[in-house]
Amino acid sequence: MIDRAGLADFLRRRRDALRPEDVGLPPGFRRRAPGLRREEVAQLAGMSTDYYSRLEQQRGAHPSAQIVASLARALRLELDERDHLYHLADLTPPARRAGRHIGPGLLALADRLTDVPLVIATDVDEVLWQNALADAVLGHREPGTGRESNITWRWFAVPGSRDRFPGEHWATHSAAHVADLRATHARRAGDPDVVELVNDLLERSAEFRRLWERHEVAVRRHALKSIVHPEVGLLELTCEILFTPEEDLRIRAFLPVEGTDAREKLELLRVIGTQSFEQSGT
């Protein structure tokens, strides 16, 4: 049974313990108390302020596993704290694999890298977090555990997901997706999330089946990306992929290719994104 009083108290205390600069927000003025405001936690977790406020007031619906995972990231919880939050919400915590939890140190680093598009995903390409510039360059992806947040699934199964990539590069990207998933499939043989993803893709996509049968294996660590943005045109970027020690989390940083105008275009998109956010908040 959900412990509403305990959940409300834990959320409030963790919110009070954080400073805006801990989560990449400006300090602001006229703060009557230390810590984050409710609306700031709600924004970081991707939910409405009203929904979050109800949780702190011991009201509202039973939070889902996806909501609790978002709150754990927003509040920069360590694994023990994350598991405690799940128990308070009467949910079973996920397995203790790094790929399901972004630690506060990594999030603190990511919050400071605002001038490059940054995406944090699992080893099966489920997007857990991406910054505002990645939203602007790649298109917004709602973090979560469903298929809609999975880069490889969307590439092969969702029409329109390739629109920002030149058509002549599709075959190369497809082969890279499959070879990388092959490596994860071998390393984590039998894990349900990997097996289900591969089986679903085999059923859904003839292109995926053809590439899977080639049995090519290659973990992606570096790639050149040409992205056609609807507002600024062609962006030539280098995608550097960094791994956590267990290689369960992958951090994609998209850097401008030297000798191109990508740096200026990224800066323009960063300004446009900031202005759009400010306008939407007025």
Side-chain angles (χ1 to χ4, degrees):
M1 184 174 180
I2 183 172
D3 182 353
R4 292 194 177 276
L7 178 64
D9 183 68
F10 185 63
L11 291 174
R12 184 170 57 253
R13 289 181 183 277
R14 290 301 304 145
R15 175 170 64 83
D16 289 344
L18 287 172
R19 299 171 300 172
E21 51 267 38
D22 293 334
V23 297
L25 295 174
F29 301 98
R30 298 179 182 175
R31 288 186 178 269
R32 291 176 295 178
L36 299 182
R37 300 186 178 103
R38 286 178 177 174
E39 58 266 28
E40 289 171 332
V41 174
Q43 176 190 331
L44 291 167
M47 62 186 65
S48 71
T49 302
D50 179 67
Y51 183 93
Y52 177 78
S53 297
R54 286 173 178 270
L55 292 177
E56 282 203 6
Q57 295 164 356
Q58 305 180 39
R59 301 186 296 124
H62 191 300
S64 67
Q66 185 168 339
I67 287 290
V68 172
S70 297
L71 286 170
R73 288 193 291 270
L75 294 169
R76 303 316 196 243
L77 301 186
E78 299 286 359
L79 278 173
D80 289 338
E81 295 171 322
R82 180 207 68 172
D83 289 357
H84 181 63
L85 183 63
Y86 272 83
H87 289 309
L88 290 172
D90 193 29
L91 295 168
T92 301
R96 283 201 169 213
R97 296 182 55 251
R100 291 298 179 197
H101 180 70
I102 307 174
L106 179 55
L107 277 172
L109 174 64
D111 282 334
R112 285 158 175 76
L113 298 177
T114 60
D115 58 345
V116 296
L118 204 70
V119 178
I120 301 178
T122 69
D123 60 353
V124 290
D125 271 350
E126 287 177 356
V127 174
L128 300 175
W129 182 94
Q130 66 181 35
N131 64 6
L133 193 52
D135 279 344
V137 171
L138 302 168
H140 179 70
R141 283 187 289 251
E142 194 66 35
T145 58
R147 289 286 184 259
E148 286 302 305
S149 67
N150 189 289
I151 298 169
T152 302
W153 172 262
R154 291 183 60 83
W155 181 265
F156 287 102
V158 178
S161 62
R162 307 182 182 188
D163 288 352
R164 295 198 181 190
F165 298 87
E168 61 269 25
H169 297 172
W170 288 3
T172 299
H173 292 324
S174 294
H177 279 304
V178 176
D180 186 81
L181 183 55
R182 262 286 185 189
T184 301
H185 184 267
R187 183 171 60 85
R188 294 211 281 121
D191 283 3
D193 59 333
V194 185
V195 173
E196 290 171 10
L197 175 61
V198 170
N199 288 342
D200 289 349
L201 283 166
L202 288 170
E203 182 179 347
R204 182 68 172 264
S205 170
E207 180 189 15
F208 181 87
R209 289 195 298 273
R210 176 176 56 80
L211 291 169
W212 188 257
E213 290 169 0
R214 285 162 46 175
H215 209 130
E216 295 177 349
V217 182
V219 176
R220 282 175 296 178
R221 294 179 173 85
H222 170 92
L224 293 175
K225 299 282 188 180
S226 297
I227 297 174
V228 182
H229 191 275
E231 294 182 34
V232 301
L234 183 66
L235 285 160
E236 297 288 355
L237 304 171
T238 299
C239 179
E240 297 290 344
I241 304 175
L242 310 174
F243 299 87
T244 58
E246 299 84 5
E247 296 196 0
D248 286 328
L249 282 185
R250 301 181 177 192
I251 303 96
R252 288 177 169 86
F254 294 84
L255 308 174
V257 173
E258 295 300 329
T260 72
D261 59 358
R263 188 181 304 277
E264 291 76 15
K265 288 179 176 178
L266 286 178
E267 182 59 28
L268 177 59
L269 285 173
R270 187 158 69 117
V271 172
I272 292 173
T274 301
Q275 290 178 342
S276 298
F277 176 78
E278 290 174 348
Q279 290 169 0
S280 67
T282 57

